Amino acid sequence: MLTPTTRTYMVLFFLDNNQIESSTIPRRHLNINSNLHILREQNRYTSHEFTMLTSWFLNVFFLVLASVPSILSAPATNLTKDYYQKTCPDFSKIVRDTVTTKQAQQPTTAAGTLRVFFHDCFLEGCDASVLVATNSFNKAERDDELNESLPGDAFDIVTRIKTALELSCPGVVSCADILAQSTRDLITIVGGPFYEVKLGRKDGFESKAHKVHGNIPIANHTVHDMMSIFKKNGFSLKEMVALSGGHTVGFAHCIEFSSRLFGPRADPELDSRYADRLKDLCKDHMVNKSMAAFLDPITPGKFDNMYFKNLKRGLGLLASDHALFKDNGTRPFVDLYADNQTAFFEDFARAMEKLGMVGVKGDKDGEVRRKCDHFNKLDV
């Protein structure tokens, strides 16, 4: 179990008088306002014509398959909303009660769990592979440098839920389902949209650190870079922007955006007052690598559409965030979501339902782990 450490955050707030204020406070004291919410038989063709027609059809068919990633990524496993109704009837209640308590204790839990769920699903599918700890046989995903900053609170909440479920219905609920359900519940707790979570995933047998690079978007990615990753998982440009809206909660470490602040390549499109505050916050980021800033400096703990409004004001923290507003292909969606929170919530909910179905494992290629951070067989 990964135990979260106590961290101090420099919080930047935009006030009604258009001034920026900052305050350094312990995470446990953050008071965040949450909202508990695809003819021949009629003898019309000769044998030769039929053969030619069949060949043409197959060529077109496979061309279509090659160009529609969502078909290829469709899960072989049939998930259902009531999968645990008989085998673990208290599943939903245990998850909800546990995440409610944890979120009250650590207000960054929702954002952290959402991030871990995304990192899990985009590599090997939603199979809890990101939860696996490194052992003497294998360096696991979460120990790759791109995953080193994944928040301990997210791992902790899964461990808490798994422990409670093993007491109630041992060996029944997968860690992949725990992560999917708890992510949804936490999003609603901080004011985000409710969406359906289908269940029945199994936990994967593989977690390889060397596979992380190229499968997870990073902070300095262009829209083209990000879209190449989203596309191979079956997502459209619009869905990519909607999912990026998850940055309305959470934080990023200074190292992820320092290139926008310092040196000859400092980004002039970042709001100057915001940039000054960030420079002050991150001046020692090479020494104190734990320094971080909220991705949304205005409503950091509330799931809303403020992230998109911020992008239009030069308040996008990461280069990849700002790229969504600069790019002609994604900017219309940024404008839409900035003006219409309902549209954002609806599209985000649909995209999250789709995300939860990416690469899910069934009984033949998965298991129900006894502990979420270890395969049931040590040498897997």
Side-chain angles (χ1 to χ4, degrees):
M1 171 178 163
L2 180 59
T3 303
T5 56
T6 300
R7 290 179 178 163
T8 298
Y9 294 100
M10 176 69 77
V11 186
L12 301 180
F13 294 100
F14 277 69
L15 306 178
D16 290 338
N17 60 4
N18 208 32
Q19 298 296 309
I20 305 175
E21 293 293 342
S22 63
S23 177
T24 304
I25 54 180
R27 178 171 60 182
R28 66 179 180 274
H29 291 158
L30 287 177
N31 183 13
I32 294 175
N33 182 23
S34 303
N35 297 317
L36 293 182
H37 332 321
I38 176 181
L39 292 160
R40 179 77 197 272
E41 60 194 40
Q42 295 180 352
N43 297 315
R44 295 169 59 188
Y45 302 101
T46 66
S47 296
H48 175 70
E49 290 172 334
F50 184 76
T51 300
M52 295 295 290
L53 182 62
T54 302
S55 176
W56 173 85
F57 172 78
L58 288 175
N59 284 335
V60 172
F61 178 71
F62 287 113
L63 178 62
V64 170
L65 278 182
S67 62
V68 185
S70 59
I71 296 176
L72 298 178
S73 62
T77 302
N78 292 321
L79 306 185
T80 61
K81 187 169 56 176
D82 56 354
Y83 187 83
Y84 297 114
Q85 186 172 13
K86 293 182 179 180
T87 57
C88 192
D90 291 332
F91 166 74
S92 295
K93 183 179 186 302
I94 289 172
V95 173
R96 185 73 184 189
D97 289 350
T98 308
V99 300
T100 300
T101 299
K102 175 68 175 178
Q103 179 64 21
Q105 295 170 343
Q106 299 289 358
T108 57
T109 300
T113 306
L114 173 58
R115 184 174 175 222
V116 169
F117 181 61
F118 181 88
H119 280 230
D120 182 47
C121 294
F122 262 42
L123 180 58
E124 306 297 342
C126 305
D127 63 352
S129 57
V130 75
L131 303 177
V132 174
T134 293
N135 59 33
S136 58
F137 300 96
N138 176 60
K139 183 178 179 181
E141 288 174 27
R142 80 186 203 190
D143 285 323
D144 180 80
E145 60 180 353
L146 292 182
N147 283 336
E148 285 180 347
S149 64
L150 290 178
D153 288 326
F155 296 96
D156 178 62
I157 188 60
V158 173
T159 299
R160 292 190 187 194
I161 295 169
K162 181 64 171 177
T163 301
L165 287 171
E166 287 299 300
L167 292 173
S168 179
C169 43
V172 173
V173 181
S174 69
C175 303
D177 277 346
I178 292 172
L179 184 55
Q181 183 91 352
S182 59
T183 298
R184 193 276 312 278
D185 287 356
L186 283 161
I187 288 171
T188 61
I189 288 173
V190 295
F194 179 89
Y195 57 90
E196 184 177 272
V197 176
K198 292 185 177 181
L199 304 164
R201 301 166 188 79
K202 294 299 183 287
D203 302 323
F205 291 135
E206 180 176 280
S207 180
K208 303 289 186 183
H210 69 85
K211 291 188 175 184
V212 175
H213 280 257
N215 289 297
I216 301 296
I218 59 178
N220 62 353
H221 265 174
T222 64
V223 168
H224 179 269
D225 294 331
M226 290 186 287
M227 192 57 212
S228 66
I229 295 174
F230 277 83
K231 186 177 181 180
K232 68 183 179 182
N233 284 289
F235 292 94
S236 68
L237 193 65
K238 185 177 184 180
E239 289 169 331
M240 182 185 79
V241 178
L243 287 173
S244 297
H247 282 181
T248 189
V249 291
F251 58 87
H253 292 91
C254 292
I255 192 66
E256 298 179 90
F257 55 87
S258 59
S259 62
R260 302 188 71 199
L261 304 174
F262 306 110
R265 301 181 66 179
D267 192 345
E269 296 182 3
L270 192 63
D271 179 89
S272 59
R273 295 168 303 136
Y274 186 40
D276 287 342
R277 289 291 185 175
L278 290 172
K279 288 176 182 178
D280 184 58
L281 167 67
C282 297
K283 59 181 181 292
D284 297 324
H285 73 279
M286 295 304 294
V287 177
N288 184 358
K289 296 184 179 183
S290 67
M291 293 306 295
F294 285 117
L295 292 159
D296 172 6
I298 298 180
T299 57
K302 183 179 179 182
F303 198 101
D304 53 22
N305 66 337
M306 189 60 71
Y307 165 79
F308 296 104
K309 295 180 179 180
N310 291 341
L311 298 186
K312 301 178 71 170
R313 298 170 57 193
L315 302 178
L317 184 63
L318 306 179
S320 57
D321 292 328
H322 185 57
L324 295 178
F325 180 66
K326 288 186 64 178
D327 187 271
N328 291 333
T330 52
R331 184 168 181 168
F333 303 126
V334 171
D335 290 337
L336 169 65
Y337 297 147
D339 295 338
N340 190 332
Q341 180 168 284
T342 299
F344 166 49
F345 275 22
E346 290 174 351
D347 289 348
F348 179 84
R350 281 192 291 266
M352 287 297 293
E353 289 181 5
K354 185 173 179 177
L355 176 62
M357 304 293 285
V358 172
V360 299
K361 307 295 189 294
D363 291 328
K364 293 182 179 181
D365 50 4
E367 64 182 359
V368 174
R369 292 188 206 133
R370 290 185 289 270
K371 294 181 62 179
C372 291
D373 58 351
H374 289 85
F375 300 117
N376 289 344
K377 293 182 179 179
L378 183 61
D379 59 346
V380 170

